[in-house]
């Protein structure tokens, strides 16, 4: 193949976009390898000037020369000559057509191959963004469908509205009729109390229902954090293989888990399981489980095993294997902004996945007193009580003259039967201001939905 072999009228004419794109791919691959144009031309036995014409779309290329150039560039010939991958093409086409009405300029749909060939990195970014947008739209549609057709929600809302109407009607009578007989006034007060209790119970049940719906993950897309939480929940927050074999067992654990097709979920799962494995090395299961059982699983009496790392003790208690004599434990970990990074839920105590939690939780107050462990009893509006231990500690090592990055950890345990009498120092809390009936709470951010 030589320059002279080409028809005279093609020597300086621009070639079709497919040939120009092949030349562009050759130039990009050569530049990526740090190869000079002269060196590539010498390797395939053509002149540098002819290679320059090919790279700038001024000469056709195919057959043996294309194969020789591909071999010299260590790629398959199709990587230089083929158009965009079908998946990439479809994603870019969908992105362009979906946004078409809102774009200032009409997208060049006939140049998708050129975009993919010239800018494969940016094409990949756009493709991944389009996939994520599609997944989020599907999740929104699924949630909207659930809200519109969930029979439990419909029944709960009917009962809540009925209770609200009854409370409002009764309260209106008490306000407008100041001369009511004592017997009738007492009856209305009793009705108010009963309706308020029914309203509180139904609202709590509805919240619990949505928590359970989130756990089932029945078709709605999940975030990476939700997927990893589901993996921990399915394992009971205890991974026997990692306890026995350390980090070598992590890949097998991830491979068996559902929803790990997403790279972000896999990376997050690996990071969290590596942290789990490090905890298991620092406090081996056999030693720690025996010691915890001997002191009734009381974190305060296990601190010496953590050598100053209180959060380690709290995390290990939450990951012990099931035992008939062991109480149920819940765990919550947040960063310095208060955003929940990890949670192990516990019966009766709602740890919201979305939205803000109660600012009075020791999890958050610990952030104002770094390295100072605290414990106490928490009382929910429904009367349930929990013992809580919390601490805020630096995450990783801190450098000189650098502020530490704090994480706060809180361990929860239901108040034992022997402790049924609530201490006077029990802290009244809620799960979050939007659903908490404690209107007089000084920490309230928003009005109560029950007000």
């Amino acid at each position: 193949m030589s320059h002279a072999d080409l028809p005279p009228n093609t020597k300086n004419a621009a070639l079709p976009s497919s040939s120009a794109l092949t030349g562009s791919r050759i130039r990009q691959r050569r530049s990526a390898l740090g190869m000079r144009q002269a060196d590539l031309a010498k390797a395939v036995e053509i002149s540098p000037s002819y290679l320059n014409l090919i790279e700038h779309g001024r000469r056709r290329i195919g057959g043996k020369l294309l194969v020789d150039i591909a071999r010299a560039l260590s790629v398959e010939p199709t990587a230089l000559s083929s158009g965009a991958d079908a998946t990439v093409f479809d994603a870019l086409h969908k992105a362009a057509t979906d946004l078409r009405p809102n774009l200032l300029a009409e997208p060049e749909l006939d140049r998708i191959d050129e975009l993919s060939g010239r800018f494969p990195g940016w094409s990949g970014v756009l493709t991944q963004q389009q996939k994520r947008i599609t997944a989020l739209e599907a999740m929104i549609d699924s949630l909207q469908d659930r809200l519109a057709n969930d029979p439990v929600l419909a029944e709960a809302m009917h009962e809540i509205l009925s209770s609200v109407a009854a409370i409002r009607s009764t309260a209106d009578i008490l306000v407008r009729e100041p001369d009511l007989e004592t017997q009738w006034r007492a009856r209305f007060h009793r009705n108010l109390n009963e309706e308020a209790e029914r309203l509180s119970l139904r609202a709590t049940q509805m919240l619990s229902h949505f928590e359970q719906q989130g756990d089932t993950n029945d078709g709605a897309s999940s975030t990476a954090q939700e997927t990893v939480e589901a993996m921990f929940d399915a394992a009971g927050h205890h991974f026997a293989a990692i306890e026995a074999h350390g980090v070598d067992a992590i890949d097998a654990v991830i491979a068996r888990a559902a929803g790990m097709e997403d790279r972000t979920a896999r990376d997050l799962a690996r990071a969290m399981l590596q942290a789990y494995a490090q905890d298991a090395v620092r406090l081996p299961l056999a030693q720690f489980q025996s010691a915890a059982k001997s002191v009734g699983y009381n974190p305060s009496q296990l601190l010496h095993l953590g050598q100053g790392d209180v959060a380690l003790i709290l995390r290990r208690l939450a990951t012990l294997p099931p035992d008939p004599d062991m109480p149920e434990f819940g765990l919550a970990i947040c960063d310095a902004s208060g955003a929940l990074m990890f949670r192990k839920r516990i019966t009766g105590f709602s740890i919201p996945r979305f939205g803000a939690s109660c600012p009075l939780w020791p999890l958050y107050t610990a952030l104002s007193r770094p390295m100072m462990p605290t414990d106490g009893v928490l009382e929910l509006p429904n009367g349930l009580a929990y013992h809580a231990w919390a601490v805020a500690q630096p995450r990783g090592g801190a450098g000189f003259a650098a502020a530490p990055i704090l994480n706060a950890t809180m361990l929860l345990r239901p108040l034992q039967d022997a402790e049924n009498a609530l201490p006077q120092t029990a802290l009244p809390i809620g799960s979050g201001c939007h659903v908490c009936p404690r209107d007089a709470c000084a920490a309230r951010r928003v009005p109560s939905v029950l007000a």
Side-chain angles (χ1 to χ4, degrees):
M1 182 178 189
S2 68
H3 187 183
D5 294 332
L6 295 171
N9 62 346
T10 66
K11 291 184 180 180
N12 296 311
L15 298 177
S17 61
S18 59
S19 298
L21 191 54
T22 299
S24 176
R25 292 191 183 113
I26 292 172
R27 184 172 70 254
Q28 289 174 352
R29 177 64 179 172
R30 177 180 59 75
S31 299
L33 294 175
M35 183 184 293
R36 296 187 307 163
Q37 197 174 65
D39 294 335
L40 177 58
K42 182 178 180 181
V44 297
E45 298 180 349
I46 60 174
S47 68
S49 60
Y50 188 63
L51 177 59
N52 184 64
L53 291 173
I54 291 174
E55 289 187 350
H56 287 85
R58 310 297 296 185
R59 293 293 180 269
R60 297 179 185 275
I61 180 173
K64 182 179 182 300
L65 180 58
L66 178 62
V67 173
D68 291 343
I69 290 178
R71 184 182 299 113
L73 296 175
S74 302
V75 295
E76 293 293 327
T78 54
L80 300 176
S81 61
S82 298
D85 175 80
T87 303
V88 175
F89 183 95
D90 290 345
L92 292 176
H93 190 277
K94 186 176 188 333
T97 51
D98 285 353
L99 295 175
R100 213 170 189 172
N102 300 315
L103 296 176
L104 296 177
E106 188 75 9
E108 298 83 357
L109 298 179
D110 59 338
R111 301 184 68 181
I112 291 178
D113 272 337
E114 184 178 355
L115 171 65
S116 176
R118 291 183 182 276
F119 307 103
W122 280 109
S123 298
V125 170
L126 293 172
T127 300
Q128 290 303 317
Q129 285 184 336
Q130 181 59 35
K131 288 181 179 179
R132 179 165 176 77
I133 289 170
T134 302
L136 291 174
E137 288 175 343
M139 179 176 67
I140 291 171
D141 289 341
S142 176
L143 292 174
Q144 286 178 334
D145 181 68
R146 179 181 296 172
L147 289 173
N149 301 291
D150 191 326
V152 176
L153 175 62
E155 181 184 355
M157 288 304 300
H158 175 74
E159 292 190 18
I160 287 174
L161 291 174
S162 297
S163 294
V164 169
I167 290 173
R168 184 169 183 175
S169 176
T170 305
D172 185 69
I173 293 173
L174 289 172
V175 170
R176 293 177 179 275
E177 302 293 338
D179 299 327
L180 276 176
E181 296 180 7
T182 303
Q183 179 182 358
W184 281 100
R185 184 173 294 277
R187 181 176 297 180
F188 282 127
H189 282 157
R190 184 170 61 253
N191 289 345
L192 275 177
N193 181 65
E194 290 174 354
E195 291 295 339
E197 287 184 349
R198 186 178 296 111
L199 180 62
S200 177
L201 176 62
R202 201 54 180 155
T204 302
Q205 290 174 341
M206 185 170 65
L207 180 63
S208 176
H209 170 69
F210 277 105
E211 285 283 325
Q212 294 170 2
Q213 288 288 311
D215 295 341
T216 59
N217 193 28
D218 53 354
S221 301
S222 298
T223 65
Q225 184 172 353
E226 289 174 300
T227 302
V228 175
E229 284 183 358
M231 179 187 71
F232 273 78
D233 288 340
H237 288 253
H238 177 77
F239 298 90
I242 296 178
E243 297 282 355
H245 305 291
V247 294
D248 293 337
I250 289 178
D251 287 340
V253 171
I254 293 176
R256 290 193 298 268
M260 290 299 161
E261 298 81 12
D262 179 68
R263 179 179 176 181
T264 304
R266 288 198 308 273
D267 291 345
L268 180 59
R270 182 168 286 105
M272 295 180 71
L273 290 175
Q274 285 173 344
Y276 180 104
Q278 291 171 3
D279 285 355
V281 170
R282 295 176 62 191
L283 274 181
L285 177 62
Q287 169 197 349
F288 183 72
Q289 187 176 23
S290 175
K293 190 170 184 177
S294 68
V295 297
Y297 302 95
N298 186 343
S300 302
Q301 298 182 42
L302 296 169
L303 297 183
H304 63 283
L305 296 177
Q307 298 181 347
D309 191 341
V310 179
L312 172 64
I313 301 295
L314 304 185
R315 293 195 302 268
R316 288 301 276 162
L317 280 169
T319 57
L320 287 175
D323 186 295
D325 298 325
M326 186 179 72
E328 182 184 14
F329 284 112
L331 186 74
I333 300 175
C334 75
D335 62 17
S337 73
L340 281 173
M341 302 168 61
F342 184 80
R343 63 177 186 166
K344 178 188 179 184
R345 283 162 293 183
I346 185 172
T347 303
F349 194 106
S350 177
I351 304 176
R353 177 181 291 141
F354 306 109
S357 308
C358 176
L360 296 178
W361 287 3
L363 176 71
Y364 303 122
T365 56
L367 289 168
S368 64
R369 295 174 291 182
M371 301 301 296
M372 186 180 296
T374 182
D375 74 316
V377 174
L378 311 179
E379 182 188 9
L380 292 174
N382 59 10
L384 294 178
Y386 297 82
H387 203 144
W389 296 264
V391 68
Q393 296 178 184
R395 183 181 68 192
F400 291 105
I405 299 174
L406 296 175
N407 279 357
T409 304
M410 179 176 71
L411 183 76
L412 295 166
R413 185 180 77 184
L415 206 64
Q416 301 300 304
D417 292 339
E419 307 173 275
N420 274 337
L422 279 176
Q424 292 184 350
T425 56
L427 177 65
I429 63 159
S431 59
C433 290
H434 284 281
V435 293
C436 182
R438 301 186 191 277
D439 291 322
C441 177
R444 176 173 292 283
R445 292 183 297 272
V446 296
S448 169
V449 295
L450 306 180

